[in-house]
Amino acid sequence: MPYHQVAPPPSLSGLLSVERMGTFERLARQQSATALELYVLDVELSSAFMADLALAEVILRNAMNDQLSAYFGARWYRLDHLFDKRSRAAIKRAWRDGKCADDAPPGKLIAQLTLGFWVNLLDSGGRADQPPHDRKCSYDNLLWRPCLRLAFPTAPASAATSTPSPNVSTPCATGSPTTNP
């Protein structure tokens, strides 16, 4: 049963490891397709998924960056006090890998930040690891409530709170911001 437009060349199977093809061999016994056809289908489905994922990443990144920029300024990523250790490391890695100079436009760094970075900003936050004490960043209070919730205008109302709670501290946000990426 062919799932693709062009049959895979038979020589392809000799280029793939036995370990790689093992799962497809097992599945082929249950399907009316060869292991090679199933492997090529897997590649095609993965390719199609990656295109959608890449588009979703850009949309998520742009929406979140727009809100962070509106609330904290275009160079929000320089405000170390907002981020946990993991997020600060990701920013520094993107800065280094993107060969960003101090005068680089913010978009240069933003484009270097990975999907994992943006997803991490939507969790509860991690350890700040800032002297004198290692504290937990509350991304809910620091990022979500003030601005990131606005990047998701169709989210259920229960996912958003209009303002940070005055009774909840923002331990990661103590101290003055630094300007080092």
Side-chain angles (χ1 to χ4, degrees):
M1 164 191 329
Y3 296 99
H4 36 271
Q5 306 250 335
V6 179
S11 60
L12 180 60
S13 62
L15 301 173
L16 302 170
S17 71
V18 172
E19 296 82 8
R20 177 73 183 134
M21 293 303 292
T23 300
F24 298 100
E25 293 288 348
R26 283 189 298 283
L27 290 171
R29 288 191 283 273
Q30 303 166 10
Q31 306 289 324
S32 56
T34 68
L36 191 56
E37 287 173 330
L38 292 176
Y39 179 78
V40 170
L41 173 62
D42 181 64
V43 170
E44 290 171 349
L45 290 173
S46 296
S47 296
F49 177 72
M50 289 306 293
D52 291 342
L53 182 61
L55 183 58
E57 177 181 4
V58 170
I59 292 168
L60 177 71
R61 176 187 74 206
N62 290 347
M64 291 176 68
N65 178 60
D66 288 349
Q67 295 307 318
L68 288 164
S69 295
Y71 194 81
F72 295 110
R75 297 183 189 277
W76 54 264
Y77 48 83
R78 289 180 176 244
L79 302 176
D80 279 354
H81 69 285
L82 293 177
F83 304 106
D84 62 19
K85 184 168 51 173
R86 159 191 64 180
S87 296
R88 284 195 322 273
I91 291 168
K92 288 176 184 177
R93 189 171 38 255
W95 185 271
R96 182 189 66 236
D97 294 349
K99 298 177 177 60
C100 296
D102 283 342
D103 61 348
K108 182 171 173 105
L109 177 70
I110 300 308
Q112 290 292 319
L113 292 166
T114 65
L115 176 59
F117 169 81
W118 299 102
V119 171
N120 287 340
L121 294 185
L122 299 175
D123 74 12
S124 63
R127 306 304 300 179
D129 194 25
Q130 289 186 358
H133 300 96
D134 182 19
R135 299 182 182 164
K136 181 166 184 346
C137 280
S138 172
Y139 280 174
D140 182 52
N141 288 309
L142 290 169
L143 304 175
W144 178 257
R145 292 181 192 199
C147 63
L148 286 184
R149 66 185 171 80
L150 301 173
F152 303 91
T154 59
S158 62
T161 303
S162 60
T163 57
S165 170
N167 298 326
V168 178
S169 66
T170 55
C172 187
T174 58
S176 61
T178 63
T179 57
N180 295 325

